[in-house]
Amino acid sequence: NFQVHPKDVETILSWKAAQHDGVEVPFRPARVILQDFTGVPAVVDFAAMRDAVKRLGGDPSKINPVCPAALVIDHSVQVDVSRSQDALKENQNLEFQRNRERFQFLKWGAKALRHMLIVPPG
């Protein structure tokens, strides 16, 4: 269990005196918000760690974020179609075709990883 003890609080309050002592202060955020650029590699890392644990005979489902995390996936729309009423829809369809494998992987991550919310584009 994660706990901040009174001694930890005193260390923080007396930071000037302790700044050269190499003191470690426990810190665990309540939640981590990730955007596409940093969050997707994090999911890849979790997948790789799960593969390694499985190869070693362990339970890969034990590999999860320690604290709740939310990953927001943004659009990567390219403009292939313009000047038509269906341009937005057609461009979004092309986006999903181009990113199909990526989105499938993220869907796996959303289902497999506890404490991980993945918000898809749209």
Side-chain angles (χ1 to χ4, degrees):
N1 290 334
F2 178 74
Q3 289 185 336
V4 175
H5 301 283
K7 183 178 186 232
D8 299 320
V9 175
E10 291 298 324
T11 300
I12 293 169
L13 293 175
S14 61
W15 67 270
K16 274 192 174 184
Q19 67 181 329
H20 299 290
D21 297 342
V23 176
E24 194 170 310
V25 177
F27 173 74
R28 180 178 300 164
R31 176 177 45 166
V32 175
I33 307 292
L34 301 161
Q35 51 90 6
D36 208 320
F37 188 70
T38 56
V40 173
V43 177
V44 170
D45 288 346
F46 281 116
M49 287 186 280
R50 281 181 166 220
D51 282 347
V53 167
K54 185 176 181 179
R55 271 194 313 275
L56 294 170
D59 180 4
S61 69
K62 291 184 178 182
I63 304 298
N64 293 288
V66 175
C67 66
L71 166 55
V72 180
I73 304 298
D74 47 3
H75 282 285
S76 59
V77 176
Q78 298 174 21
V79 179
D80 294 289
V81 180
S82 63
R83 299 182 187 183
S84 79
Q85 288 183 335
D86 294 332
L88 176 62
K89 183 179 178 182
E90 290 181 46
N91 285 317
Q92 286 178 335
N93 286 338
L94 287 168
E95 173 193 11
F96 285 107
Q97 288 173 15
R98 289 180 180 128
N99 292 291
R100 184 173 180 256
E101 184 177 355
R102 180 172 170 262
F103 290 152
Q104 285 177 331
F105 172 70
L106 291 169
K107 192 171 188 175
W108 166 86
K111 290 180 181 179
L113 297 168
R114 289 191 307 270
H115 310 301
M116 175 69 83
L117 170 67
I118 299 179
V119 181

